[in-house]
Amino acid sequence: MGAQLRVYKRRIQAVTATKKITKAMEMIAASRIVKAQRKVAASMPYANELTRAVTAVATGSNTKHPLTTEAESPARAAVLLLTSDRGLAGGYSSNAIKAAERLRERLAAEGKEVDTYIVGRKGVAYYGFRERKVSQSWTGFTDSPEYSDAKKIAEPLIESIQKDTAEGGVDELHIVFTEFVSMMTQNAVDGRMLPLSLDQVAEESTEKGEILPLFDFEPSAEDVLDALLPRYVESRIYNALLQAAASEHAARRRAMKSATDNAGDLIKSLSRLANAARQAEITQEISEIVGGAGALADASAGSDK
């Protein structure tokens, strides 16, 4: 019985150590969420104004720019998938991957080939394990992205959409990321970045009561679009990276809190089992003592006779 009690004590010590680790990770994730939220909020005004400027240039001129003009028969699309570099974040990466799979199936049903670009080791590992082709991948910065990371990601995507499909280019550019709604809610979403849907942007501006300003284009509207659209793609990717980072921290905090609570429940259960084993051991020892005393008493009574 003593061996069983030692086993329970070792398990309690191991679970207690695990609980300390998960609690520390929960607190770290909670502290990083606030910083990530501030970055998301700070990036929104620039992204919104840049979108308004691009929309104004595209709608205020007769220029047919390849990055704002729908292809007559789109045959190829690029999908940028944002996942995490690290695990222990619940279903964060798997939800984003599932959203990308649904988007891929939808594009394939429309007769479009899909080029996949991935951010994060989890997405790279998923596609690598299934031996699927990945056009390009980036890792090492998902929990704290910088604008330089977004710029690095945007370069090959912009080059790809500027090429003809016969040369390996694409007609559309989509992004899949996890949108940060609140501390408890994060949704995996997909959206089309290019070609820019001018009707949708104009409709959103109308709903908000916004009026697009009038611009003069120098030297030309096409040159302005050439300069603005790369910045537009970079800002959209940067904002998505920031939202994904905030979502990752929130998901990890929630997962670590659940793990900490489960560890606490397991410790209570093991403590009850250890107490029961200790009581059983004490009861057995008392029974042995009483039995031994009885045997000695019987032996003494027999010798007296």
Side-chain angles (χ1 to χ4, degrees), residues 67-286:
L67 302 186
T68 57
T69 305
E70 297 277 354
E72 293 183 1
S73 300
R76 199 176 190 89
V79 174
L80 174 63
L81 169 61
L82 306 186
T83 62
S84 65
D85 285 322
R86 298 185 294 125
L88 301 177
Y92 166 76
S93 292
S94 61
N95 290 337
I97 291 172
K98 289 177 183 177
E101 291 293 286
R102 290 192 295 268
L103 174 61
R104 184 185 183 91
E105 292 175 0
R106 188 167 72 245
L107 293 174
E110 296 173 357
K112 302 171 186 175
E113 297 182 25
V114 179
D115 292 345
T116 304
Y117 296 79
I118 299 178
V119 175
R121 293 190 178 94
K122 291 298 179 180
V124 173
Y126 177 88
Y127 278 75
F129 180 77
R130 288 158 180 78
E131 298 182 352
R132 294 186 182 180
K133 181 181 178 182
V134 176
S135 298
Q136 197 163 341
S137 62
W138 301 267
T139 60
F141 53 81
T142 59
D143 59 345
S144 183
E146 300 293 340
Y147 192 85
S148 58
D149 300 318
K151 188 173 183 179
K152 179 171 57 178
I153 296 169
E155 288 179 359
L157 295 173
I158 294 172
E159 291 177 3
S160 180
I161 202 168
Q162 287 177 329
K163 291 181 181 179
D164 189 84
T165 52
E167 301 175 354
V170 298
D171 299 309
E172 297 177 357
L173 174 57
H174 299 259
I175 185 169
V176 180
F177 66 100
T178 305
E179 181 183 27
F180 183 86
V181 180
S182 66
M183 295 286 285
M184 299 302 298
T185 305
Q186 302 87 41
N187 299 323
V189 298
D190 66 83
R192 194 182 75 172
M193 287 194 292
L194 295 176
L196 181 63
S197 180
L198 301 179
D199 293 337
Q200 180 179 355
V201 175
E203 182 179 348
E204 291 176 355
S205 299
T206 302
E207 291 177 355
K208 296 178 181 179
E210 297 177 350
I211 300 176
L212 293 176
L214 297 176
F215 289 94
D216 291 329
F217 312 124
E218 294 183 3
S220 67
E222 185 174 0
D223 291 334
V224 173
L225 284 174
D226 286 338
L228 283 180
L229 281 168
R231 306 289 85 77
Y232 165 77
V233 175
E234 292 168 6
S235 68
R236 285 287 301 273
I237 293 176
Y238 182 54
N239 181 263
L241 285 171
L242 293 177
Q243 293 207 50
S247 299
E248 178 184 348
H249 294 316
R252 181 168 291 112
R253 173 186 173 275
R254 191 166 58 250
M256 291 300 99
K257 185 180 187 307
S258 177
T260 302
D261 294 342
N262 291 338
D265 294 340
L266 183 56
I267 290 172
K268 291 179 182 178
S269 177
L270 291 172
S271 297
R272 284 194 294 267
L273 292 173
N275 291 335
R278 186 182 299 109
Q279 292 170 0
E281 183 178 353
I282 294 172
T283 301
Q284 182 177 354
E285 290 177 355
I286 293 174

Side-chain angles (χ1 to χ4, degrees), residues 4-85:
Q4 186 178 6
L5 183 59
R6 285 194 296 272
V7 169
Y8 286 137
K9 287 183 176 180
R10 283 198 296 268
R11 290 191 62 187
I12 290 172
Q13 291 175 353
V15 176
T16 301
T18 302
K19 181 181 178 181
K20 291 179 180 179
I21 295 173
T22 56
K23 183 64 177 178
M25 294 183 68
E26 175 190 347
M27 296 176 66
I28 292 171
S31 66
R32 290 178 176 177
I33 293 174
V34 177
K35 184 178 180 180
Q37 283 181 290
R38 289 174 181 170
K39 285 188 174 182
V40 172
S43 70
M44 291 301 295
Y46 174 76
N48 292 337
E49 289 302 319
L50 191 57
T51 301
R52 280 162 51 87
V54 172
T55 304
V57 175
T59 57
S61 67
N62 296 323
T63 302
K64 297 295 183 181
H65 196 277
L67 302 186
T68 57
T69 305
E70 297 277 354
E72 293 183 1
S73 300
R76 199 176 190 89
V79 174
L80 174 63
L81 169 61
L82 306 186
T83 62
S84 65
D85 285 322

